[in-house]
Amino acid sequence: PMVVAGASAAAIAEGSRTGLSTCVSGLLFLATLPLSSILAAMPPCTTSFVLIFVGVSMFAEAAHIAWDDPIAAVPAFLCIICQPFLFSIADGIYV
């Protein structure tokens, strides 16, 4: 199975070369588990701005795709189009 982890991608982009950053991310995730009941009580409209911001910042990276090169453009286009229609980032990447 494929695991899409934003924490790993962010760590690699910032220069992480070991698994220590993944361990720190996991520990921080475990530290926030007691807050899960408080976060679950929040209405969905409170998270909509964050989701929109993340989507726009992810889509901003599409400007760096070589759209004139079909070898790079076709797979990127399929991933961008398939992810929302398949309701899964991992399934969209598998295409």
Side-chain angles (χ1 to χ4, degrees):
M2 180 177 183
V3 176
V4 179
S8 297
I12 292 169
E14 291 298 321
S16 175
R17 293 189 180 150
T18 65
L20 182 62
S21 63
T22 304
C23 293
V24 171
S25 296
L27 289 174
L28 291 173
F29 177 74
L30 288 175
T32 60
L33 281 179
L35 300 174
S36 63
S37 61
I38 296 170
L39 296 175
M42 296 173 66
C45 63
T46 57
T47 59
S48 61
F49 175 74
V50 175
L51 291 174
I52 292 170
F53 178 75
V54 169
V56 168
S57 63
M58 287 174 63
F59 199 71
E61 294 299 317
H64 302 294
I65 297 170
W67 291 108
D68 55 345
D69 180 16
I71 294 175
V74 171
F77 176 76
L78 289 174
C79 286
I80 290 169
I81 294 300
C82 289
Q83 286 176 10
F85 290 120
L86 295 176
F87 300 106
S88 170
I89 294 174
D91 290 341
I93 292 175
Y94 277 142
V95 171

Coordinates of all heavy atoms in Angstrom, one line a residue:
P1 N 0.8 -1.2 0.0 CA 0.0 0.0 0.0 C 0.9 1.3 0.0 O 2.0 1.2 0.5 CB -0.8 -0.1 1.3 CG -0.2 -1.2 2.1 CD 0.7 -2.0 1.2
M2 N 0.3 2.3 -0.5 CA 1.0 3.5 -0.6 C 0.6 4.4 0.5 O -0.5 4.6 0.9 CB 0.6 4.2 -1.9 CG 1.3 5.5 -2.2 SD 0.8 6.0 -3.8 CE 1.7 7.5 -4.0
V3 N 1.6 5.1 1.1 CA 1.4 6.0 2.2 C 1.8 7.4 1.7 O 2.9 7.6 1.3 CB 2.2 5.7 3.4 CG1 2.0 6.7 4.5 CG2 1.8 4.3 3.9
V4 N 0.9 8.3 1.7 CA 1.1 9.7 1.3 C 1.2 10.5 2.6 O 0.3 10.7 3.3 CB 0.0 10.3 0.4 CG1 0.3 11.7 0.1 CG2 -0.1 9.5 -0.8
A5 N 2.4 11.0 3.0 CA 2.6 11.6 4.2 C 3.2 13.0 4.0 O 4.3 13.2 3.4 CB 3.6 10.9 5.1
G6 N 2.4 14.0 4.3 CA 2.8 15.4 4.2 C 3.9 15.8 5.1 O 4.8 16.6 4.7
A7 N 4.0 15.2 6.2 CA 5.1 15.5 7.2 C 6.4 15.0 6.6 O 7.5 15.7 6.7 CB 4.9 14.8 8.5
S8 N 6.5 13.9 5.9 CA 7.7 13.4 5.3 C 8.1 14.3 4.2 O 9.3 14.6 4.0 CB 7.5 11.9 4.8 OG 7.2 11.1 5.9
A9 N 7.2 14.7 3.3 CA 7.5 15.5 2.2 C 8.0 16.9 2.7 O 9.0 17.4 2.1 CB 6.3 15.7 1.3
A10 N 7.4 17.4 3.7 CA 7.9 18.7 4.3 C 9.3 18.6 4.9 O 10.1 19.5 4.7 CB 6.9 19.2 5.3
A11 N 9.5 17.5 5.6 CA 10.8 17.3 6.2 C 11.9 17.1 5.1 O 13.0 17.7 5.2 CB 10.8 16.0 7.1
I12 N 11.6 16.4 4.0 CA 12.6 16.2 3.0 C 12.8 17.6 2.3 O 14.0 17.9 1.9 CB 12.1 15.2 2.0 CG1 12.1 13.8 2.6 CG2 13.0 15.2 0.7 CD1 11.5 12.7 1.9
A13 N 11.8 18.4 2.1 CA 11.9 19.7 1.4 C 12.8 20.6 2.2 O 13.5 21.5 1.7 CB 10.6 20.3 1.1
E14 N 12.8 20.4 3.6 CA 13.6 21.3 4.5 C 15.0 20.7 4.7 O 15.7 21.3 5.5 CB 12.8 21.5 5.8 CG 11.6 22.3 5.6 CD 11.9 23.7 5.2 OE1 12.9 24.3 5.6 OE2 11.1 24.2 4.3
G15 N 15.3 19.6 4.1 CA 16.6 19.1 4.2 C 16.8 17.9 5.2 O 18.0 17.5 5.5
S16 N 15.8 17.3 5.6 CA 15.9 16.2 6.5 C 16.4 15.0 5.8 O 16.0 14.6 4.7 CB 14.6 15.8 7.2 OG 14.7 14.7 7.9
R17 N 17.4 14.2 6.4 CA 18.0 13.1 5.7 C 17.8 11.8 6.5 O 18.2 10.8 6.0 CB 19.4 13.4 5.4 CG 19.6 14.5 4.4 CD 21.0 14.6 4.0 NE 21.1 15.7 3.0 CZ 22.2 16.4 2.8 NH1 23.3 16.2 3.6 NH2 22.2 17.3 1.9
T18 N 17.3 11.9 7.7 CA 17.2 10.7 8.5 C 15.7 10.5 8.9 O 14.9 11.4 8.6 CB 18.0 10.8 9.8 OG1 17.5 11.9 10.6 CG2 19.5 11.1 9.5
G19 N 15.5 9.5 9.6 CA 14.1 9.2 10.0 C 13.8 9.9 11.3 O 12.7 9.7 11.9
L20 N 14.7 10.7 11.9 CA 14.4 11.4 13.1 C 13.3 12.4 13.0 O 12.5 12.5 13.9 CB 15.7 12.1 13.6 CG 15.6 12.8 15.0 CD1 15.3 11.8 16.1 CD2 16.9 13.5 15.3
S21 N 13.2 13.0 11.9 CA 12.1 14.0 11.7 C 10.7 13.3 11.7 O 9.7 13.8 12.2 CB 12.3 14.8 10.4 OG 12.2 13.9 9.3
T22 N 10.7 12.1 11.2 CA 9.5 11.3 11.2 C 9.1 10.9 12.6 O 7.9 10.9 13.0 CB 9.6 10.1 10.3 OG1 10.0 10.5 8.9 CG2 8.3 9.3 10.2
C23 N 10.1 10.5 13.4 CA 9.9 10.2 14.8 C 9.3 11.4 15.6 O 8.4 11.2 16.4 CB 11.1 9.6 15.4 SG 11.7 8.1 14.7
V24 N 9.9 12.5 15.3 CA 9.4 13.7 16.0 C 8.0 14.1 15.6 O 7.2 14.4 16.4 CB 10.4 14.9 15.7 CG1 9.8 16.2 16.2 CG2 11.7 14.7 16.3
S25 N 7.7 13.9 14.3 CA 6.3 14.2 13.9 C 5.4 13.2 14.5 O 4.3 13.6 14.9 CB 6.2 14.0 12.3 OG 7.0 15.0 11.7
G26 N 5.7 11.9 14.6 CA 4.9 11.0 15.3 C 4.7 11.3 16.7 O 3.6 11.1 17.3
L27 N 5.7 11.7 17.4 CA 5.6 12.0 18.8 C 4.7 13.2 19.0 O 3.9 13.3 20.0 CB 7.0 12.3 19.5 CG 7.8 11.0 19.7 CD1 9.2 11.4 20.1 CD2 7.2 10.1 20.6
L28 N 4.8 14.2 18.2 CA 3.9 15.4 18.2 C 2.5 15.0 18.0 O 1.6 15.6 18.6 CB 4.4 16.5 17.3 CG 5.7 17.1 17.7 CD1 6.2 18.1 16.6 CD2 5.6 17.9 19.0
F29 N 2.3 14.1 17.0 CA 1.0 13.6 16.7 C 0.4 12.9 18.0 O -0.8 13.1 18.3 CB 1.0 12.6 15.6 CG -0.4 12.1 15.3 CD1 -1.3 12.8 14.7 CD2 -0.6 10.7 15.6 CE1 -2.6 12.3 14.4 CE2 -1.9 10.2 15.3 CZ -2.9 10.9 14.7
L30 N 1.2 12.1 18.6 CA 0.7 11.4 19.8 C 0.4 12.4 21.0 O -0.5 12.2 21.8 CB 1.7 10.4 20.3 CG 1.8 9.1 19.5 CD1 3.0 8.3 20.0 CD2 0.5 8.3 19.5
A31 N 1.2 13.5 21.0 CA 0.9 14.5 22.1 C -0.4 15.2 21.9 O -1.0 15.7 22.8 CB 2.1 15.5 22.1
T32 N -0.9 15.3 20.6 CA -2.2 16.0 20.4 C -3.4 15.1 20.5 O -4.5 15.6 20.4 CB -2.1 16.6 19.0 OG1 -2.0 15.6 18.0 CG2 -1.1 17.6 18.8
L33 N -3.2 13.8 20.7 CA -4.3 12.9 20.8 C -5.3 13.3 21.9 O -6.5 13.1 21.8 CB -3.9 11.4 21.0 CG -3.4 10.7 19.7 CD1 -3.0 9.3 20.0 CD2 -4.6 10.7 18.7
P34 N -4.9 13.7 23.1 CA -5.9 14.2 24.1 C -6.7 15.3 23.6 O -7.8 15.5 24.2 CB -5.0 14.6 25.3 CG -3.7 13.9 25.1 CD -3.5 13.7 23.6
L35 N -6.3 16.1 22.7 CA -7.1 17.2 22.2 C -8.1 16.8 21.1 O -8.9 17.6 20.7 CB -6.2 18.3 21.6 CG -5.2 18.9 22.5 CD1 -4.3 19.8 21.7 CD2 -5.9 19.6 23.6
S36 N -8.2 15.5 20.8 CA -9.0 15.1 19.7 C -10.5 15.3 20.0 O -11.3 15.6 19.1 CB -8.7 13.6 19.3 OG -9.1 12.8 20.4
S37 N -10.9 15.1 21.2 CA -12.3 15.3 21.6 C -12.7 16.7 21.4 O -13.8 17.0 21.0 CB -12.6 14.7 23.0 OG -11.9 15.4 23.9
I38 N -11.8 17.6 21.8 CA -12.1 19.1 21.6 C -12.2 19.4 20.1 O -13.1 20.2 19.7 CB -11.0 19.9 22.3 CG1 -11.1 19.6 23.8 CG2 -11.2 21.4 22.1 CD1 -9.9 20.2 24.6
L39 N -11.3 18.9 19.4 CA -11.3 19.2 17.9 C -12.5 18.6 17.2 O -13.0 19.2 16.3 CB -10.0 18.8 17.3 CG -8.7 19.5 17.8 CD1 -7.5 18.8 17.2 CD2 -8.8 20.9 17.5
A40 N -12.9 17.4 17.7 CA -14.1 16.8 17.1 C -15.4 17.6 17.3 O -16.3 17.5 16.5 CB -14.2 15.4 17.6
A41 N -15.4 18.3 18.4 CA -16.6 19.1 18.7 C -16.7 20.4 17.9 O -17.8 21.0 17.9 CB -16.6 19.5 20.2
M42 N -15.7 20.7 17.2 CA -15.7 22.0 16.3 C -16.6 21.7 15.1 O -16.5 20.6 14.5 CB -14.3 22.4 15.9 CG -13.4 22.7 17.1 SD -11.7 23.0 16.6 CE -11.8 24.4 15.6
P43 N -17.4 22.7 14.7 CA -18.2 22.5 13.5 C -17.3 22.5 12.2 O -16.2 23.1 12.2 CB -19.1 23.7 13.5 CG -18.4 24.7 14.4 CD -17.6 24.0 15.4
P44 N -17.7 21.8 11.2 CA -16.9 21.7 10.0 C -16.5 23.0 9.3 O -15.5 23.1 8.7 CB -17.8 20.9 9.0 CG -18.7 20.1 9.9 CD -18.9 21.0 11.1
C45 N -17.4 24.0 9.5 CA -17.1 25.3 8.9 C -15.8 26.0 9.5 O -15.2 26.8 8.8 CB -18.2 26.3 9.0 SG -18.6 26.7 10.7
T46 N -15.4 25.5 10.7 CA -14.1 26.1 11.2 C -12.9 25.6 10.5 O -11.9 26.3 10.6 CB -14.0 25.8 12.7 OG1 -14.1 24.4 12.9 CG2 -15.2 26.4 13.5
T47 N -13.0 24.5 9.9 CA -11.8 23.9 9.2 C -11.8 24.2 7.7 O -10.8 23.9 7.0 CB -11.7 22.4 9.4 OG1 -12.9 21.8 8.9 CG2 -11.5 22.1 10.9
S48 N -12.9 24.8 7.2 CA -13.0 25.0 5.8 C -11.9 26.0 5.2 O -11.3 25.7 4.2 CB -14.3 25.5 5.4 OG -14.6 26.8 6.0
F49 N -11.6 27.0 6.0 CA -10.6 28.0 5.5 C -9.2 27.3 5.4 O -8.5 27.5 4.4 CB -10.4 29.2 6.4 CG -9.3 30.1 6.0 CD1 -9.4 30.9 4.9 CD2 -8.1 30.1 6.7 CE1 -8.4 31.8 4.6 CE2 -7.1 30.9 6.4 CZ -7.2 31.8 5.3
V50 N -8.9 26.5 6.4 CA -7.6 25.8 6.3 C -7.5 24.8 5.1 O -6.5 24.7 4.5 CB -7.3 25.0 7.7 CG1 -6.1 24.2 7.6 CG2 -7.3 26.0 8.8
L51 N -8.6 24.1 4.9 CA -8.6 23.2 3.7 C -8.5 23.9 2.4 O -7.8 23.5 1.5 CB -9.9 22.3 3.8 CG -9.9 21.3 4.9 CD1 -11.3 20.6 4.9 CD2 -8.8 20.3 4.8
I52 N -9.1 25.0 2.3 CA -9.0 25.8 1.1 C -7.6 26.4 0.9 O -7.0 26.3 -0.2 CB -10.1 27.0 1.1 CG1 -11.5 26.4 1.0 CG2 -9.8 28.0 0.0 CD1 -12.6 27.4 1.2
F53 N -7.0 26.9 2.0 CA -5.6 27.4 1.9 C -4.7 26.3 1.5 O -3.8 26.5 0.7 CB -5.2 28.0 3.3 CG -3.8 28.5 3.3 CD1 -3.5 29.7 2.7 CD2 -2.8 27.8 4.0 CE1 -2.2 30.2 2.7 CE2 -1.5 28.3 4.0 CZ -1.2 29.5 3.3
V54 N -4.8 25.1 2.1 CA -3.9 24.0 1.8 C -4.1 23.6 0.3 O -3.1 23.4 -0.4 CB -4.1 22.8 2.7 CG1 -3.4 21.5 2.2 CG2 -3.7 23.1 4.1
G55 N -5.3 23.6 -0.2 CA -5.6 23.2 -1.6 C -5.0 24.2 -2.5 O -4.3 23.9 -3.5
V56 N -5.1 25.5 -2.2 CA -4.5 26.6 -3.1 C -3.0 26.5 -3.1 O -2.4 26.6 -4.1 CB -5.1 27.9 -2.6 CG1 -4.3 29.1 -3.3 CG2 -6.5 28.1 -2.9
S57 N -2.4 26.3 -1.9 CA -1.0 26.2 -1.8 C -0.4 25.0 -2.5 O 0.7 25.0 -3.1 CB -0.5 26.3 -0.4 OG -0.9 25.2 0.3
M58 N -1.2 23.9 -2.5 CA -0.7 22.7 -3.3 C -0.9 22.9 -4.8 O 0.0 22.5 -5.5 CB -1.6 21.5 -2.9 CG -1.3 20.9 -1.5 SD -2.4 19.6 -1.0 CE -2.0 18.4 -2.2
F59 N -1.9 23.6 -5.2 CA -2.1 23.8 -6.6 C -1.2 24.9 -7.1 O -0.9 24.9 -8.3 CB -3.6 24.3 -6.9 CG -4.0 24.1 -8.3 CD1 -4.2 22.8 -8.8 CD2 -4.2 25.2 -9.1 CE1 -4.5 22.7 -10.1 CE2 -4.5 25.0 -10.4 CZ -4.7 23.7 -10.9
A60 N -0.6 25.7 -6.3 CA 0.4 26.7 -6.7 C 1.6 26.0 -7.3 O 2.3 26.6 -8.2 CB 0.7 27.6 -5.6
E61 N 1.9 24.8 -6.8 CA 3.1 24.1 -7.4 C 2.9 23.6 -8.8 O 3.8 23.3 -9.5 CB 3.3 22.9 -6.5 CG 3.8 23.3 -5.1 CD 5.1 24.1 -5.1 OE1 6.0 23.8 -5.8 OE2 5.1 25.1 -4.3
A62 N 1.6 23.7 -9.3 CA 1.4 23.3 -10.7 C 2.0 24.2 -11.7 O 2.2 23.9 -12.8 CB -0.1 23.2 -11.0
A63 N 2.4 25.4 -11.2 CA 3.0 26.4 -12.1 C 4.4 25.9 -12.5 O 5.0 26.4 -13.5 CB 3.1 27.8 -11.4
H64 N 5.0 25.1 -11.7 CA 6.4 24.6 -11.9 C 6.4 23.4 -12.8 O 7.5 22.9 -13.1 CB 7.1 24.3 -10.6 CG 7.1 25.4 -9.7 ND1 7.9 26.6 -9.9 CD2 6.5 25.7 -8.5 CE1 7.7 27.4 -8.9 NE2 6.9 26.9 -8.0
I65 N 5.3 22.9 -13.3 CA 5.2 21.7 -14.2 C 5.5 22.2 -15.6 O 5.1 23.2 -16.0 CB 3.9 21.1 -14.1 CG1 3.6 20.5 -12.7 CG2 3.8 19.9 -15.1 CD1 2.2 20.1 -12.5
A66 N 6.4 21.4 -16.3 CA 6.7 21.8 -17.7 C 5.5 21.3 -18.6 O 5.5 20.2 -19.1 CB 8.0 21.1 -18.1
W67 N 4.5 22.2 -18.7 CA 3.3 21.9 -19.5 C 3.5 21.7 -20.9 O 2.7 21.1 -21.6 CB 2.2 23.0 -19.2 CG 1.7 23.0 -17.8 CD1 2.0 23.9 -16.9 CD2 0.9 22.0 -17.2 NE1 1.4 23.6 -15.7 CE2 0.7 22.4 -15.9 CE3 0.3 20.8 -17.6 CZ2 0.0 21.7 -15.0 CZ3 -0.4 20.1 -16.7 CH2 -0.6 20.5 -15.4
D68 N 4.6 22.2 -21.5 CA 4.9 22.0 -22.9 C 5.6 20.6 -23.2 O 5.7 20.2 -24.3 CB 5.8 23.1 -23.5 CG 7.1 23.3 -22.7 OD1 7.2 22.7 -21.5 OD2 8.0 24.0 -23.2
D69 N 6.0 19.9 -22.1 CA 6.6 18.5 -22.3 C 5.5 17.5 -21.9 O 5.1 17.4 -20.8 CB 7.7 18.4 -21.3 CG 8.4 17.1 -21.4 OD1 8.2 16.3 -22.4 OD2 9.2 16.7 -20.5
P70 N 5.0 16.7 -22.9 CA 3.9 15.8 -22.7 C 4.3 14.7 -21.7 O 3.4 14.2 -21.0 CB 3.6 15.2 -24.0 CG 4.3 16.0 -25.0 CD 5.4 16.8 -24.3
I71 N 5.6 14.3 -21.6 CA 6.0 13.3 -20.7 C 5.8 13.7 -19.2 O 5.5 12.9 -18.4 CB 7.5 12.9 -21.0 CG1 7.5 12.2 -22.3 CG2 8.0 11.9 -19.9 CD1 8.9 11.9 -22.8
A72 N 6.0 15.0 -19.0 CA 5.8 15.5 -17.6 C 4.3 16.0 -17.4 O 3.8 15.9 -16.3 CB 6.7 16.7 -17.3
A73 N 3.7 16.5 -18.5 CA 2.4 17.2 -18.3 C 1.3 16.2 -18.2 O 0.3 16.4 -17.4 CB 2.2 18.1 -19.5
V74 N 1.3 15.1 -19.0 CA 0.1 14.2 -18.9 C 0.0 13.5 -17.6 O -1.1 13.5 -17.0 CB 0.3 13.1 -20.1 CG1 -0.8 12.0 -19.9 CG2 0.1 13.8 -21.4
P75 N 1.0 12.9 -17.0 CA 0.9 12.3 -15.6 C 0.5 13.4 -14.6 O -0.4 13.1 -13.7 CB 2.2 11.7 -15.3 CG 2.9 11.6 -16.6 CD 2.4 12.7 -17.5
A76 N 1.0 14.6 -14.7 CA 0.7 15.6 -13.7 C -0.8 16.0 -13.9 O -1.5 16.2 -12.9 CB 1.6 16.8 -13.9
F77 N -1.2 16.1 -15.1 CA -2.6 16.5 -15.3 C -3.6 15.4 -14.8 O -4.6 15.7 -14.2 CB -2.8 16.7 -16.9 CG -4.3 17.0 -17.2 CD1 -4.8 18.2 -17.0 CD2 -5.0 16.0 -17.8 CE1 -6.1 18.4 -17.3 CE2 -6.4 16.2 -18.1 CZ -6.9 17.5 -17.9
L78 N -3.2 14.1 -15.1 CA -4.1 13.0 -14.6 C -4.1 13.0 -13.1 O -5.2 12.7 -12.5 CB -3.5 11.7 -15.1 CG -3.8 11.5 -16.6 CD1 -3.1 10.2 -17.1 CD2 -5.2 11.4 -17.0
C79 N -3.0 13.2 -12.4 CA -3.0 13.3 -10.9 C -3.9 14.4 -10.4 O -4.7 14.2 -9.5 CB -1.6 13.4 -10.4 SG -0.6 11.9 -10.5
I80 N -3.8 15.6 -11.0 CA -4.5 16.8 -10.6 C -6.0 16.5 -10.8 O -6.8 16.9 -10.0 CB -4.0 18.0 -11.3 CG1 -2.7 18.4 -10.9 CG2 -5.0 19.2 -11.1 CD1 -2.0 19.5 -11.7
I81 N -6.4 15.9 -11.9 CA -7.8 15.7 -12.2 C -8.4 14.6 -11.5 O -9.5 14.6 -11.0 CB -8.0 15.5 -13.8 CG1 -7.6 16.8 -14.5 CG2 -9.4 15.1 -14.1 CD1 -8.4 18.0 -14.1
C82 N -7.6 13.5 -11.3 CA -8.2 12.3 -10.7 C -8.4 12.3 -9.2 O -9.2 11.7 -8.6 CB -7.4 11.1 -11.1 SG -7.5 10.6 -12.8
Q83 N -7.5 13.1 -8.5 CA -7.6 13.2 -7.0 C -9.0 13.6 -6.5 O -9.5 13.0 -5.7 CB -6.5 14.0 -6.5 CG -5.1 13.3 -6.5 CD -4.0 14.2 -6.0 OE1 -4.2 15.2 -5.5 NE2 -2.8 13.7 -6.3
P84 N -9.5 14.7 -7.0 CA -10.8 15.1 -6.5 C -12.0 14.2 -6.9 O -12.9 14.0 -6.2 CB -11.1 16.5 -7.0 CG -10.1 16.7 -8.1 CD -9.0 15.7 -7.9
F85 N -11.9 13.6 -8.1 CA -12.9 12.7 -8.6 C -12.9 11.3 -8.0 O -14.0 10.7 -7.9 CB -12.9 12.6 -10.1 CG -13.4 13.9 -10.8 CD1 -12.5 14.6 -11.6 CD2 -14.6 14.4 -10.5 CE1 -12.9 15.7 -12.2 CE2 -15.0 15.6 -11.2 CZ -14.1 16.3 -12.0
L86 N -11.8 10.9 -7.5 CA -11.6 9.6 -6.9 C -11.7 9.7 -5.3 O -11.7 8.7 -4.6 CB -10.3 8.9 -7.3 CG -10.2 8.5 -8.7 CD1 -8.8 7.9 -9.0 CD2 -11.3 7.5 -9.1
F87 N -11.8 11.0 -4.8 CA -11.9 11.2 -3.4 C -10.7 10.7 -2.6 O -10.9 10.3 -1.5 CB -13.2 10.7 -2.8 CG -14.4 11.3 -3.5 CD1 -15.2 10.6 -4.4 CD2 -14.8 12.6 -3.2 CE1 -16.3 11.1 -5.0 CE2 -15.9 13.2 -3.8 CZ -16.7 12.4 -4.7
S88 N -9.6 10.6 -3.2 CA -8.4 10.1 -2.5 C -7.1 10.6 -3.2 O -7.0 10.5 -4.4 CB -8.5 8.5 -2.6 OG -7.2 8.0 -2.1
I89 N -6.2 11.1 -2.4 CA -4.9 11.5 -2.9 C -4.2 10.3 -3.4 O -3.6 10.3 -4.5 CB -4.1 12.3 -1.9 CG1 -4.9 13.6 -1.5 CG2 -2.7 12.6 -2.3 CD1 -4.2 14.4 -0.4
A90 N -4.1 9.2 -2.6 CA -3.4 8.0 -3.0 C -3.9 7.4 -4.3 O -3.1 7.0 -5.2 CB -3.4 7.0 -1.9
D91 N -5.2 7.3 -4.5 CA -5.8 6.8 -5.7 C -5.5 7.7 -6.9 O -5.2 7.2 -8.0 CB -7.3 6.6 -5.6 CG -7.6 5.4 -4.7 OD1 -6.7 4.6 -4.4 OD2 -8.8 5.4 -4.2
G92 N -5.5 9.0 -6.7 CA -5.1 9.9 -7.8 C -3.7 9.8 -8.2 O -3.4 10.0 -9.4
I93 N -2.8 9.5 -7.3 CA -1.4 9.3 -7.6 C -1.2 8.0 -8.3 O -0.3 7.9 -9.2 CB -0.5 9.4 -6.3 CG1 -0.6 10.9 -5.8 CG2 0.9 9.0 -6.6 CD1 0.1 11.1 -4.5
Y94 N -1.9 7.0 -7.9 CA -1.8 5.7 -8.6 C -2.1 5.7 -10.1 O -1.6 4.9 -10.8 CB -2.7 4.6 -8.0 CG -2.2 4.0 -6.7 CD1 -3.1 3.7 -5.6 CD2 -0.9 3.6 -6.6 CE1 -2.6 3.1 -4.5 CE2 -0.4 3.0 -5.5 CZ -1.3 2.7 -4.4 OH -0.8 2.1 -3.3
V95 N -3.0 6.6 -10.5 CA -3.4 6.7 -11.9 C -2.2 7.0 -12.7 O -1.6 6.6 -13.4 CB -4.4 7.9 -12.1 CG1 -4.6 8.1 -13.6 CG2 -5.7 7.5 -11.4

